[in-house]
Amino acid sequence: MTEKKITVGIIQQQNTGDIADNKKRLKHHIEQCAAKGAQLVVLQELHNSLYFCQIESTNNFDLAESIPGESTEFYSRIAGELHIVLVTSLFERRAAGLYHNTAVVFDTDGSIAGKYRKMHIPDDPAYYEKFYFTPGDLGFTPIKTSIGTLGVLVCWDQWYPEAARLMALQGADMLIYPTAIGWESSDTPQEQKRQQDAWIISQRGHAVANGLPVVAVNRVGHEPDPSGQTNGIQFWGHSFVCGPQGEILAAAPDDSEWCEVVEIDLTRSENVRRWWPFLRDRRIDSYNDILRRFID
């Protein structure tokens, strides 16, 4: 069995309302990762701007852009110059009145290797994403790149084992989750810990169940609520990488920016699946009811 390793750059960033500055700092951090040997760099969800979904405002649709467009040109150029695979997360304007939360993956030559439109769209206090995003229609399809096949999902998708499984069944080498999640100001410290632990456990569970590494990249820092109805969101950072047995390979702090490179040994996925052949033992003849909303 040929050994295969990939070095992954993780960029956890605190954003401001200055989009140009956010992109400038992202470029600098991407270059830092590449200088450390990163072959693949992953950015957080909706990384160009503040997390605008704290409120429902039609003015925020001005933040959306076409794909391809200005941002894809910007990140394409970076990926091509640095010869890296780059996973980005953009607010896509598909047509007037039709918008998606879309991950775009660039290959080492700067070309668009593929895109994924977020499938699961939340609608919770301070996370009013259903107002902005139409659910994805590209399916749970991995994106093939020159360094491997990437199972790219986005944030709320990370709670759904079905999404991770479908990516794994189509040959994904790893699962990747650009993310924007944090604490609302009224949460108690005990509730904050429960939420963060559940977030980590859920994704480590996807790694174990599918025998795949997981890369989760979250934003960090406080972003105020423009409406003033809440005290805003404290994004909890804690970006992390885990291996195919759920083992933590690297984890970022909760309260500061982080830019690191992590080596992932894809050979371990092959070995773990030999030891724990979960895919072999699936009872696919008995899962028809999974397509039902609820079994009553």
Side-chain angles (χ1 to χ4, degrees):
M1 182 168 52
T2 304
E3 186 178 65
K4 182 178 181 180
K5 296 182 179 180
I6 292 178
T7 49
V8 183
I10 310 298
I11 298 173
Q12 174 175 293
Q13 181 168 297
Q14 181 168 0
N15 278 9
T16 70
D18 187 336
I19 292 175
D21 181 64
N22 293 333
K23 292 170 69 174
K24 178 182 177 181
R25 290 186 294 120
L26 281 170
K27 181 176 185 292
H28 173 68
H29 290 143
I30 294 168
E31 290 169 342
Q32 282 186 310
C33 288
K36 295 178 182 178
Q39 299 165 279
L40 166 66
V41 177
V42 182
L43 308 184
Q44 64 207 31
E45 184 183 19
L46 300 171
H47 47 67
N48 281 359
S49 66
L50 292 170
Y51 180 73
F52 53 86
C53 305
Q54 290 198 62
I55 60 170
E56 295 182 349
S57 171
T58 56
N59 291 333
N60 283 335
F61 289 111
D62 291 340
L63 296 170
E65 55 188 298
S66 62
I67 296 174
E70 182 180 344
S71 281
T72 55
E73 288 183 15
F74 177 78
Y75 293 109
S76 168
R77 189 162 53 250
I78 295 172
E81 289 174 354
L82 299 176
H83 306 293
I84 60 169
V85 173
L86 179 61
V87 179
T88 66
S89 175
L90 304 174
F91 185 13
E92 178 186 6
R93 181 191 186 276
R94 187 174 178 182
L98 181 60
Y99 306 86
H100 296 282
N101 186 332
T102 303
V104 182
V105 179
F106 300 91
D107 215 326
T108 54
D109 62 356
S111 64
I112 294 179
K115 63 183 180 182
Y116 166 80
R117 290 175 174 144
K118 186 173 180 177
M119 294 282 278
H120 300 98
I121 311 296
D123 188 48
D124 298 308
Y127 295 89
Y128 298 113
E129 295 196 14
K130 278 186 167 63
F131 181 81
Y132 295 101
F133 307 129
T134 299
D137 56 0
L138 299 177
F140 300 105
T141 305
I143 296 171
K144 293 184 178 180
T145 75
S146 57
I147 63 169
T149 303
L150 309 182
V152 181
L153 298 156
V154 178
C155 200
W156 196 235
D157 292 323
Q158 61 208 170
W159 300 98
Y160 294 86
E162 300 90 343
R165 177 72 87 203
L166 286 168
M167 287 292 191
L169 292 177
Q170 295 175 85
D173 291 317
M174 66 179 70
L175 301 172
I176 295 175
Y177 296 96
T179 303
I181 190 169
W183 296 298
E184 203 278 323
S185 57
S186 63
D187 294 330
T188 65
Q190 295 80 9
E191 177 59 21
Q192 290 179 355
K193 186 176 188 324
R194 285 191 293 268
Q195 290 176 10
Q196 189 181 68
D197 285 350
W199 178 75
I200 296 167
I201 291 167
S202 179
Q203 293 175 91
R204 292 177 72 185
H206 299 331
V208 174
N210 295 289
L212 292 177
V214 167
V215 178
V217 182
N218 192 21
R219 63 205 294 137
V220 73
H222 180 265
E223 295 187 17
D225 177 356
S227 72
Q229 295 182 22
T230 73
N231 291 326
I233 300 175
Q234 181 69 38
F235 290 98
W236 68 46
H238 207 91
S239 303
F240 72 94
V241 179
C242 69
Q245 289 173 300
E247 69 275 24
I248 298 294
L249 303 178
D254 295 346
D255 56 0
S256 61
E257 295 188 328
W258 195 67
C259 177
E260 291 294 338
V261 172
V262 183
E263 184 178 79
I264 297 178
D265 182 1
L266 296 181
T267 314
R268 280 195 54 77
S269 296
E270 176 78 23
N271 286 327
V272 168
R273 284 185 173 182
R274 292 180 181 186
W275 303 328
W276 293 345
F278 298 140
L279 298 186
R280 181 197 68 188
D281 296 337
R282 295 176 65 237
R283 287 297 307 275
I284 59 174
D285 56 321
S286 301
Y287 297 155
N288 289 341
D289 281 344
I290 201 70
L291 296 178
R292 296 170 62 179
R293 179 70 64 183
F294 188 76
I295 303 170
D296 44 15

